[in-house]
Amino acid sequence: MMKCPKCKGRMHAETYYNFVRSYDAWKCTSCGEVIDQTILVNRERTHRDV
Ligand SMILES: [Zn+2]
């Protein structure tokens, strides 16, 4: 189970669509925070750079 980094609430998987493809993301049921794979990768890169 995924936990929200902001409020530690429960997150559920949702499929989003943009113009070229669909992708799975996590959405917090409490605060509405959305995390997708791209964001996670970017955050990791940021951490490594620092
Ligand atoms: Zn949340």
Side-chain angles (χ1 to χ4, degrees), residues 5-40:
K6 275 190 181 174
C7 72
K8 310 296 181 197
R10 240 200 279 172
M11 306 193 86
H12 68 274
E14 259 186 21
T15 304
Y16 289 85
Y17 299 90
N18 65 16
F19 294 108
V20 287
R21 66 191 182 95
S22 65
Y23 58 96
D24 291 324
W26 294 96
K27 184 170 186 183
C28 178
T29 55
S30 302
C31 72
E33 172 83 343
V34 174
I35 298 177
D36 67 27
Q37 292 297 326
T38 309
I39 293 172
L40 289 175

Side-chain angles (χ1 to χ4, degrees), residues 40-50:
L40 289 175
V41 169
N42 286 342
R43 280 183 185 169
E44 271 202 16
R45 280 194 192 134
T46 304
H47 275 295
R48 278 175 198 155
D49 286 346
V50 172

